[in-house]
Amino acid sequence: NAVIKKKKKIIAIIPARIGSKGVKSKNIRKVKNLTLIHRTINQLKKLKLINTIAISTDSKIIQKIAIKNGVWCKNLRPKSISGDKSYTFEAIDHVLKQIEVKYDYICEVQPTYVFRKSSTILDCLQKIKQKNYDSLISVSRVNDTYHPNFVIKKKNNKYKFKKSTTLYSRHKL
């Protein structure tokens, strides 16, 4: 397969703002002696398919962690796209407009998911490259949610992915 033979460039972007209403400074909180940022960086560094790791943040503390660990974090994210009403795609777009790296795929990795395995990221990256998908999202079954942005239904052994008719950040709830 020509798609697999051609080496695709992958940039992994970690959106990590400092402000949090629920858990103050959660992205620099430690779990088993490592901050959430360190855990995510370490996971991504283990994956040979990732060519570039970047962090989008509004925090000088997180920026220092990124740079110390060899992760791109040139400019802080502006406050205008770092608040409770901001969307993740704005943070990603901010990185992509600044970084001088060519890429074929963007991999967004949230630092707050501490139970994620490196193998999950690897499986997704391999699947998207092998199948030549234009996008892929990992999901978990949730029986009840107060943040219904996406709906996935199974019918006749096929999955239908549908975006909710409302677009809002969870903070507006």
Side-chain angles (χ1 to χ4, degrees):
N1 188 339
V3 175
I4 296 171
K5 289 180 184 176
K6 184 182 175 193
K7 179 113 170 100
K8 299 285 187 176
K9 301 278 186 189
I10 300 171
I11 182 172
I13 301 176
I14 306 166
R17 68 187 188 102
I18 198 69
S20 174
K21 297 280 190 227
V23 178
K24 188 174 165 99
S25 303
K26 66 184 170 197
N27 290 316
I28 56 173
R29 289 278 182 109
K30 290 184 178 182
V31 175
K32 291 191 175 182
N33 298 323
L34 283 177
T35 66
L36 299 185
I37 291 296
H38 281 103
R39 289 176 137 342
T40 305
I41 290 170
N42 290 347
Q43 275 189 324
L44 293 171
K45 281 187 168 185
K46 289 178 187 174
L47 302 174
K48 303 296 182 210
L49 286 176
I50 304 280
N51 303 94
T52 304
I53 303 171
I55 290 183
S56 173
T57 188
D58 59 336
S59 163
K60 288 183 181 182
I61 296 168
I62 294 174
Q63 184 182 41
K64 284 181 185 178
I65 292 170
I67 293 168
K68 187 175 180 180
N69 285 276
V71 172
W72 185 94
C73 189
K74 188 175 180 180
N75 298 318
L76 292 179
R77 188 186 329 165
K79 296 291 178 201
S80 61
I81 59 169
S82 298
D84 292 347
K85 297 177 184 177
S86 301
Y87 299 102
T88 304
F89 70 82
E90 294 172 310
I92 292 170
D93 190 50
H94 182 255
V95 169
L96 297 177
K97 286 180 177 174
Q98 296 180 64
I99 199 162
E100 297 172 0
V101 170
K102 301 286 184 211
Y103 54 87
D104 297 295
Y105 296 111
I106 303 161
C107 177
E108 176 211 334
V109 184
Q110 293 286 340
T112 51
Y113 186 42
V114 296
F115 303 113
R116 174 188 52 236
K117 296 178 184 172
S118 295
S119 60
T120 302
I121 300 169
L122 182 61
D123 289 347
C124 289
L125 293 174
Q126 288 176 333
K127 185 167 284 190
I128 200 165
K129 288 174 83 171
Q130 289 170 356
K131 301 289 186 178
N132 201 25
Y133 294 144
D134 63 356
S135 60
L136 183 137
I137 184 171
S138 62
V139 296
S140 298
R141 180 178 298 278
V142 177
N143 293 327
D144 190 20
T145 182
Y146 296 100
H147 193 219
N149 277 350
F150 305 102
V151 177
I152 301 173
K153 295 196 176 195
K154 185 176 179 182
K155 185 177 181 183
N156 298 330
N157 226 12
K158 291 186 180 182
Y159 291 92
K160 175 123 176 131
F161 176 78
K162 182 178 144 190
K163 200 167 190 175
S164 174
T165 54
T166 58
L167 179 64
Y168 49 85
S169 70
R170 68 181 178 85
H171 301 287
K172 288 184 181 179
L173 295 173

